[in-house]
């Protein structure tokens, strides 16, 4: 998937770089603002707005190197799309909620809104680099700029954002991008041998056996891929937006040209050194080497 336009002279990896979590520049917002519940992902319950007991005064995690071993697998999967550092350093201008407790409630309320705006920016940035979506470039640019403007707003305005409405509006264009890319995949891969498997939006594929499957251009929007065997499968130009990839076995799979793949999904799946991933994502350290 090469870029059809060198937007602002940046590669897709460079453009997406600020949308990766930078915990060093964040005041532990995901470890404080968000709740978690005792489960296979978290060792115990924590309410929203309460700092995790493992969060130190310098906002570092005291169990960072052993999260999976002690029952905090969810922390190794989570990715804030860079919303943490945006809220900490820009929206709240570097004002630490411990030193300025009066800002705490607003900061914790803004964080989930910013997370969603950054998530949309992630998808729109990807879409703007897709040659197949060039026919709707103007609309995508418009949605991108509107999202950027929302992100840059002062805290009070951010709290008033109708995020549901904005998500719905952006999603209309992301769905069109998906159609265009998958139409292109149909043309590009029509001569490829092997049965191509078609699925619909929100497909229930929990535990399905799709080893070595040809999933080029598949519609896996919101699909349940929990513990799905995708070993060696080819997901080139498959739309994975919102797909639940927890424990999906992607060892040796080709994810390098997936549409709307996120670091969160990659972290949740089980891959290895043979899994092909896009250059703009990081191979999870907990994957099998
Ligand atoms: S265990 Fe560590 S990474 Fe997870 S929420 Fe607590 S402080 Fe944050």
């Amino acid at each position: 998937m090469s870029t059809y336009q060198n937007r602002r002279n940046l590669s897709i990896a460079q453009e997406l770089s600020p949308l990766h979590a930078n915990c060093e520049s964040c005041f532990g917002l995901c470890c404080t603002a968000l709740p978690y519940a005792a489960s296979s992902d978290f060792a115990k319950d924590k309410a929203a707005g309460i700092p995790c007991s493992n969060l130190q005064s310098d906002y570092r995690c005291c169990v960072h190197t052993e999260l999976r071993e002690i029952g905090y697998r969810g922390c190794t999967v989570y990715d804030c799309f860079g919303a943490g550092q945006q809220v900490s350093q820009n929206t709240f201008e570097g004002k630490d909620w411990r030193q300025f407790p009066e800002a705490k409630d607003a900061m914790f309320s803004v964080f989930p809104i910013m997370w969603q705006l950054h998530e949309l920016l992630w998808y729109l940035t990807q879409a703007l680099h897709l040659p197949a979506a060039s026919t709707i470039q103007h609309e995508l640019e418009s949605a991108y700029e509107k999202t950027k403007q929302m992100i840059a707003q002062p805290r009070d305005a951010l709290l008033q954002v109708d995020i549901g409405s904005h998500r719905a509006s952006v999603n209309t264009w992301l769905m069109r991008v998906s159609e265009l890319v998958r139409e292109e995949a149909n043309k590009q891969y029509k001569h490829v041998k092997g049965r191509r498997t078609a699925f619909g939006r929100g497909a229930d594929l929990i535990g399905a056996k799709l080893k070595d499957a040809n999933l080029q251009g598949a519609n896996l929007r919101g699909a349940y891929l929990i513990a799905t065997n995708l070993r060696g499968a080819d997901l080139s130009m498959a739309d994975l937006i919102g797909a639940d990839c927890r424990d999906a076995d992607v060892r040796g799979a080709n994810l390098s040209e997936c549409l709307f793949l996120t670091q969160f999904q990659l972290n949740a799946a089980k891959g290895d050194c043979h899994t092909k991933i896009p250059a703009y994502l990081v191979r999870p350290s907990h994957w099998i080497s």
Side-chain angles (χ1 to χ4, degrees), residues 1 10 41 178 253 274:
M1 244 183 256
L10 294 175
D41 284 335
S178 177
H274 301 295

Side-chain angles (χ1 to χ4, degrees), residues 25 27 29 83-97 99-100 103 107 110 114 151-155 158:
S25 298
F27 300 136
L29 296 185
Q85 67 258 28
Q86 174 67 24
V87 172
S88 300
Q89 302 303 331
N90 296 323
T91 315
F92 285 83
E93 302 168 325
K95 286 183 180 147
D96 172 338
W97 57 263
Q99 288 178 12
F100 298 91
M107 190 181 272
V110 163
M114 189 65 79
I151 287 170
Q153 290 179 117
R155 67 193 75 167
L158 274 161

Side-chain angles (χ1 to χ4, degrees), residues 52-70:
C52 171
S53 55
N54 296 319
L55 187 68
Q56 302 176 131
S57 57
D58 61 358
Y59 296 114
R60 292 184 182 198
C61 171
C62 67
V63 292
H64 180 67
T65 57
E66 51 181 343
L67 286 167
R68 291 202 153 226
E69 292 75 16
I70 64 168

